[in-house]
Structures are given as C-alpha cells and as structure tokens.
C-alpha cells in the first residue's frame, strides 16, 4: 500500500475508534443527577474503632443499607409510636372539657398491638415479649395456640437447643419434638397436661354453676396466666397488667389436644369466639382520639387478625412487620404494608416498613433501640422520692 | 384424674365389690370397662403415643351392656380404669305378671320377682310367645354394677 493511502486509512480507523469510544462513554458514564444530602442518607456502617457501643451500633443501622436500613426505619417508627401523645395534635371541635385538658392530652399515648407466631415463644423471643408485657409497653397481644402453651410449658420444664438436621424418626423414638433447631421433650407436654386438666375442670364448674361465666379464648388465657403464677411467663404479666391476649384459634395446639381430651372425660366446656371478636375489634374501635400502632412478628393469623381489627378504625397509624414471607404467591403472610393500605387496614398516611428478617435476630435489636432504651433512660433519670 | 365414686346399691350381694381396677393400657377389645358409671363392653381401642397431647392415651369405644348405647372415653394408658364384674346366672322362668315383672326360680327354691321383662324386642317376643305356648324356658340374667337384665333365653323343654 502507498504511504498516503496508509495514513488516510489509519486516520479513518482512528476516527471510527473515537466515535465508538464516545458512544460507549456516553452510555456507561451517563452523567448523574446529584443527590441532595438532605433527602438521601449517605451509606456508612458502624465503626468498631469507636468500641462496643450497642446504641451506637443500633443508630448505624439506618445508614448500613439493605434490611439493616429497614430495621433502622422500623426503630424510628416504633419510637414515634412510643413518643406520640394526644397533645401533639389539636383538639377536635366537639370534644369535651376533659379531653381538652393539656395534662390529660399529654398522658394519652398511642395504642400498640403486638402480634407474633408461636415459634417465637418457643424461642428466646419469649423473654423479650415478657419484658414488654411486664412493663405494660404494649396493650394488646395476638398470637396462636402455641404462643400460649409454650410460654406456660417453659415454666414447668425447659425447651432445649437442637439442630434443624436432627432426623425425625430418631427424635420420635426418643420422645423429642423438634421446632426448627429447638427441642421440646414429650415429657414437657405430659407436665402441661397434668397441670392444666384440674384447671379445665374448675373452669367447667364455674361455667355450669356460676351462670355468668362465659369463657372466651382471652378469658381462658387470662385464667391460665393467673394460674401459672410465674414471673418468667409473659402470660402471668399480661394477667397482672390487664394486657389482653387474643387467640381465636386456641384449639390449634397442645391446648386444643387438652381441650379435646378434657371434653371426652368431662364434657360441656364452651369457649365463645364471638365475644372475643367483639372485644378484639373493640380494641381498635374504642380508642377515641388515640393513634394505633402495630408491630407484627411473622405472618399467619396474628398478622391478619391485628390488621383486620384496625380496619374498623380506617387503618392503623404506624405499622412495622418483621417476617421472612414473600409476596409473590399472593399470601397474606407475605403481603407488604401497602397491600393492607388497599384494604383500609393501615392508613394511607401511616408510617410503615417491613423488615425482611427472622424476628429472632431483628426483634431484640428493635426492642433495644426503642422500648428498652426509653425504659432504662427513664430509670436513670427517675429520682428517689 | 379423680376416681369415680362407687354407689353401692342395696341389693343382694352387699359384700362384693362391683368393679376392680385395671390399667387402661391392658384393657382389650371385647373386655369390659366402666364409662360414666355404666358397665360397657369394649368394641374398639386405639392408643396414641405420648406426644403433644400429653401422656399416651387409650381411646375406648364401648357399648353399654344394658341399654346398648355407645359411650367413649379417653384415658391415659398408665391410669387405672374400673372394670365391672359381670355375672351371668341362669334361672327357670316361672311366671310373667301383668305389669311386666318376671318370676324366676332360684337355686335354693325361692323366687326372684324383681326383674322386669327385657326391652330388647326380639328377646321380649321370644319370652312372651314361649311362655304363652307353655314352653319350659330358662333365662340367663346378666348382672353388673348393681343392675340386672335378661340377656338370653333357652328352651329346655322336650322337642
């Protein structure tokens, strides 16, 4: 090829390369809008050079990203639930003198509903729940049958750590029942049976002799909390502090087995779920000007029952879900707060978040940064007088 | 579980006990058991091993030996149940009174007149017809828990 032609070809090739490079650059290096730091938080995790500081670590969650950020948001929302007072909003036109009183308005807080599945009571989360109920930090609990009996049984005999991989047939032959990586010996349920049967007999007597006693799941639960009389039990504290515990499916657990066996030997005990749905929905309806907040661990019945009750007041004002369920199958368990908003179970203006995490990890952290933090702050500032 | 109270009726055998205790796990089909104070014959037993429902349990389905009603009970297999003493005695039929009482000849020659006609229709018809025809009849009286009833009939006359 002659020299000039080669140079021309070379520069044409160069020009093509330049053009290609420019178009690639414009795609790959698309100029970004600048994120206003007021609206967008910078990502930064906890710096362990600061030392081992629990509250510092919890504060860092918001900026860590992914579900840690969601947990950080949940902490923020729960703190709002705890801090809200009626005095934060102006009185309605038609409310009475007493309700206008600033001191009264300052004393009225948000009503918090806590829902959780039974497996969490089998786990150490039971102790976290007990702390909340012991100090009346939540007002209404909703759980399933196991959530009741596992708490009572732990006062009679302990649950042990096991492993997810322990073979079922081998466990059955040894009389061990597996809940995830926890083990509950059959013997624990035998102790539960021996404990509860005389109580059921007594309850039947009270129903048939004292005509006014109509048992409902929540009344049965309050009675069991009274009878267990053990400060380790959250049901004991619920009874003592007047925290209502609702469990419409009371028969779906060992409690149901006990009711079944009891009814064969000594039939007649009636448990009225209609009265309890009146009471449960009433918990949401009869709140006057108070706001409501819902904290739900897991899915299933507790999640829906609480959301549904709040529908009767056109939605909860604050909602925090902690669960591992997914929405792709259309299940209620996996449904995010926005789905509940479509039903009117959570207000459109509500502060909500879902933390996609096993509650056994997320809930202790959540309580540490909210209820426990305020409790211990208050304890430290209380003067002795 | 509280033991059931035994109501001893003031009938003939005052000294002997009406029932004896037996571990629930050992009571089999076709055995006898007391359920809600009634003497029953067991038609079905199923056991469930110790588990979430507590102690291992025996589920009994039984028929009241006197009125044929079906009764059920669930008992922990290690607990004791009451088992009725069920006796069968044969008596010769002497007479049927107008108000439905039966006169029977006992072993020692005296009469036993406190039994009513049985309620079972087949048996009732057999007794009435057989007696009307002047047949020699021997009835089997089943007794348990202070209650008695004719449960069978035999024709002992010449063929």
């Amino acid at each position: 090829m002659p020299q000039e032609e080669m140079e021309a070809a070379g520069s044409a090739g160069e020009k093509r390369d330049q053009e290609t490079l420019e178009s690639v650059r414009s795609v790959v290096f698309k100029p970004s809008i600048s994120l206003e730091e007021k609206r967008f938080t910078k990502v930064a995790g906890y710096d362990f050079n600061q030392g081992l500081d629990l509250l510092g670590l919890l504060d860092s969650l918001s900026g860590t990203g992914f579900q840690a950020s969601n947990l950080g948001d949940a902490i923020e929302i729960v703190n709002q639930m705890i801090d809200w007072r009626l005095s934060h909003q102006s009185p309605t036109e038609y409310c009475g003198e007493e309700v206008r009183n600033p001191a009264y308005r300052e004393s009225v807080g948000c009503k918090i509903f806590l829902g959780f599945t039974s497996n969490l009571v089998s786990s150490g989360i039971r102790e976290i729940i007990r702390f909340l109920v012991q100090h009346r930090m939540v007002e209404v609990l909703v759980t399933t049958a196991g959530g009741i009996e596992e708490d009572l049984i732990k006062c009679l005999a302990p649950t042990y750590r096991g492993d997810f991989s322990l073979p079922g047939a081998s466990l059955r032959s040894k009389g061990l029942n597996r809940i995830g990586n926890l083990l509950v010996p059959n013997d624990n349920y035998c102790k539960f049976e021996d404990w509860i049967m005389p109580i059921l007999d007594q309850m039947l007597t009270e129903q048939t002799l004292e005509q006014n006693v109509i048992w409902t799941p929540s009344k049965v639960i309050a009675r069991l909390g009274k009878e267990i009389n053990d400060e380790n039990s959250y049901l004991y504290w619920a009874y003592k502090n007047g925290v209502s515990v609702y469990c419409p499916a009371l028969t779906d657990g060992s409690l149901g087995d006990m009711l079944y066996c009891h009814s064969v030997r000594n039939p007649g005990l009636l448990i009225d779920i209609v009265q309890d749905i009146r009471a449960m929905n009433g918990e949401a309806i009869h709140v006057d000007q108070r706001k409501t907040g819902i904290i739900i661990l897991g899915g299933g019945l507790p999640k829906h029952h609480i959301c549904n009750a709040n529908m009767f007041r056109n939605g909860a004002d604050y909602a925090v879900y902690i669960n591992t369920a997914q929405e792709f199958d259309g299940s209620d368990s996996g449904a995010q707060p926005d789905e509940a908003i479509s039903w009117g179970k959570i207000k459109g203006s509500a502060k909500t978040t879902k933390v996609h995490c096993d509650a056994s990890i997320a809930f202790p952290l959540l309580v540490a940064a909210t209820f426990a933090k305020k409790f211990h702050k208050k304890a430290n500032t209380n003067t002795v007088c | 579980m509280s033991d059931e109270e035994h109501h001893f009726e003031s009938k003939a055998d005052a000294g002997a006990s009406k029932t004896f205790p037996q571990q629930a796990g050992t009571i089999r089909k076709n055995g006898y058991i007391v359920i809600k104070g009634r003497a029953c014959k067991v038609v079905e037993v199923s056991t469930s091993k110790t588990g979430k429902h507590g102690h291992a349990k025996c589920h009994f389905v039984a028929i009241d030996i006197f009125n044929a009603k079906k009764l059920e009970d669930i008992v922990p297999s290690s607990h004791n149940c009451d088992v009725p003493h069920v006796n069968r005695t044969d008596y010769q039929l002497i007479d049927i009174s107008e108000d439905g009482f039966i006169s029977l000849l006992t072993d020692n020659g005296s009469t036993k007149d406190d039994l009513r006609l049985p309620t079972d229709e087949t048996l009732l018809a057999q007794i009435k017809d057989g007696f009307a025809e002047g047949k020699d009849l021997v009835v089997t009286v089943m007794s348990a828990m202070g209650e008695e009833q004719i449960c069978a009939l035999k024709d002992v006359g010449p063929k």
Side-chain angles (χ1 to χ4, degrees):
Chain A
M1 227 189 199
Q3 186 75 11
E4 298 88 11
E5 274 183 33
M6 261 168 65
E7 280 176 17
S11 76
E14 252 178 61
K15 195 165 176 233
R16 267 200 308 277
D17 286 341
Q18 276 294 88
E19 281 173 12
T20 311
L21 207 56
E22 275 307 319
S23 70
V24 169
R25 190 175 276 142
S26 72
V27 168
V28 172
F29 297 109
K30 200 174 180 63
S32 59
I33 59 166
S34 80
L35 295 177
E36 300 163 33
E37 286 181 19
K38 273 178 291 182
R39 286 176 58 218
F40 289 89
T41 318
K42 273 197 282 199
V43 169
Y46 181 71
D47 180 1
F48 278 101
N49 287 323
Q50 311 283 348
L52 291 175
D53 170 21
L54 174 64
L55 291 179
L57 179 64
L58 294 169
D59 280 341
S60 75
L61 291 173
S62 265
T64 301
F66 310 137
Q67 293 311 307
S69 283
N70 285 18
L71 181 54
D73 291 347
I75 289 170
E76 173 59 36
I77 294 172
V78 174
N79 276 328
Q80 287 184 24
M81 277 187 219
I82 299 172
D83 290 339
W84 182 85
R85 293 289 181 272
L86 189 56
S87 53
H88 295 181
Q89 61 193 43
S90 33
T92 57
E93 251 183 75
Y94 302 106
C95 69
E97 276 301 319
E98 188 200 283
V99 183
R100 283 182 195 282
N101 179 348
Y104 171 78
R105 294 180 84 76
E106 190 55 41
S107 74
V108 173
C110 174
K111 184 164 185 178
I112 301 179
F113 292 72
L114 175 65
F116 46 91
T117 49
S118 336
N119 57 340
L120 293 172
V121 179
S122 302
S123 80
I125 297 300
R126 178 249 202 169
E127 273 65 52
I128 315 292
I129 295 169
R130 192 258 304 139
F131 172 79
L132 295 176
V133 182
Q134 180 178 9
H135 302 292
R136 210 172 190 276
M137 294 160 164
V138 292
E139 282 174 67
V140 179
L141 301 182
V142 179
T143 185
T144 41
I148 306 299
E149 68 218 20
E150 295 287 311
D151 175 64
L152 300 168
I153 292 172
K154 279 185 176 178
C155 299
L156 306 173
T159 300
Y160 295 93
R161 267 198 61 181
D163 199 276
F164 281 101
S165 59
L166 294 172
S170 165
L171 290 175
R172 178 74 174 149
S173 66
K174 296 189 176 80
L176 297 171
N177 301 296
R178 179 168 72 84
I179 302 173
N181 56 2
L182 309 176
L183 294 172
V184 189
N186 277 337
D187 202 50
N188 293 20
Y189 292 101
C190 291
K191 291 194 171 86
F192 182 56
E193 180 183 8
D194 294 338
W195 176 80
I196 202 175
M197 284 303 179
I199 298 175
L200 294 176
D201 284 334
Q202 178 60 25
M203 283 168 47
L204 176 58
T205 309
E206 289 171 26
Q207 175 197 302
T208 50
L209 291 183
E210 295 154 47
Q211 301 303 320
N212 290 327
V213 180
I214 301 176
W215 293 103
T216 69
S218 59
K219 285 187 193 167
V220 170
I221 293 166
R223 176 55 167 271
L224 296 176
K226 176 182 179 187
E227 297 283 345
I228 197 73
N229 197 29
D230 185 326
E231 292 197 350
N232 292 311
S233 154
Y234 83 82
L235 291 173
Y236 164 73
W237 288 108
Y239 158 74
K240 214 156 168 265
N241 289 343
V243 172
S244 301
V245 184
Y246 295 97
C247 181
L250 193 64
T251 54
D252 194 30
S254 180
L255 256 172
D257 302 342
M258 300 305 158
L259 287 167
Y260 166 69
C261 293
H262 179 258
S263 74
V264 174
R265 295 235 88 204
N266 199 0
L269 185 63
L270 297 173
I271 301 184
D272 184 359
I273 55 171
V274 175
Q275 217 186 99
D276 250 14
I277 191 65
R278 285 284 302 274
M280 175 67 191
N281 290 344
E283 298 279 4
I285 295 170
H286 307 300
V287 291
D288 288 325
Q289 305 297 313
R290 295 177 75 186
K291 287 201 172 183
T292 64
I294 65 183
I295 302 174
I296 305 178
L297 313 178
L301 186 149
K303 176 175 186 281
H304 183 268
H305 206 55
I306 290 178
C307 288
N308 201 71
N310 275 273
M311 185 180 67
F312 283 91
R313 65 179 299 272
N314 298 317
D317 299 285
Y318 304 98
V320 168
Y321 295 173
I322 302 178
N323 71 62
T324 54
Q326 295 301 305
E327 66 176 0
F328 64 85
D329 58 1
S331 62
D332 185 81
S333 292
Q336 306 223 29
D338 198 52
E339 180 168 322
I341 291 176
S342 81
W343 288 83
K345 293 169 180 166
I346 297 178
K347 286 199 166 81
S349 57
K351 305 275 192 302
T352 71
T353 191
K354 173 178 172 179
V355 184
H356 295 76
C357 185
D358 175 2
S360 71
I361 300 176
F363 196 54
L365 296 176
L366 176 67
V367 172
T370 55
F371 297 100
K373 180 178 172 185
K374 293 203 197 290
F375 175 76
H376 287 288
K377 201 165 162 191
K378 198 171 156 199
N380 288 337
T381 56
N382 273 349
T383 52
V384 180
C385 64
Chain B
M1 308 270 165
S2 59
D3 290 325
E4 288 168 331
E5 283 187 323
H6 300 297
H7 296 285
F8 290 106
E9 320 242 44
S10 54
K11 289 254 169 115
D13 49 347
S17 170
K18 302 284 190 290
T19 66
F20 62 91
Q22 187 178 333
Q23 209 181 49
T26 58
I27 298 177
R28 302 269 173 269
K29 191 170 164 181
N30 293 330
Y32 291 103
I33 191 174
V34 175
I35 297 179
K36 297 205 173 39
R38 303 292 305 167
C40 304
K41 187 168 185 187
V42 177
V43 295
E44 207 185 293
V45 187
S46 63
T47 45
S48 56
K49 294 187 196 166
T50 310
K52 195 157 160 220
H53 54 75
H55 302 281
K57 292 177 170 56
C58 297
H59 188 146
F60 296 106
V61 180
I63 307 286
D64 185 317
I65 60 178
F66 293 116
N67 61 23
K69 284 207 180 107
K70 189 167 107 169
L71 292 169
E72 274 182 88
D73 204 3
I74 294 182
V75 186
S77 55
S78 54
H79 281 217
N80 279 339
C81 286
D82 287 326
V83 177
H85 287 288
V86 181
N87 296 312
R88 283 189 179 75
T89 324
D90 283 351
Y91 298 95
Q92 195 158 353
L93 178 62
I94 301 174
D95 192 24
I96 302 177
S97 70
E98 275 164 16
D99 54 356
F101 277 95
I102 288 193
S103 206
L104 301 171
L105 184 67
T106 64
D107 278 347
N108 56 11
S110 59
T111 60
K112 183 177 165 63
D113 309 295
D114 54 0
L115 261 174
R116 286 183 155 277
L117 283 166
T119 45
D120 175 70
E121 282 168 16
T122 340
L123 207 52
L124 182 62
Q126 279 179 334
I127 292 179
K128 277 188 167 169
D129 295 344
F131 185 71
E133 289 168 20
K135 286 185 184 170
D136 279 331
L137 297 173
V138 163
V139 296
T140 309
V141 175
M142 178 172 63
S143 81
M145 306 282 289
E147 204 172 322
E148 291 178 307
Q149 203 186 71
I150 297 174
C151 63
L153 186 65
K154 273 181 291 198
D155 186 345
V156 296
K159 296 276 189 286

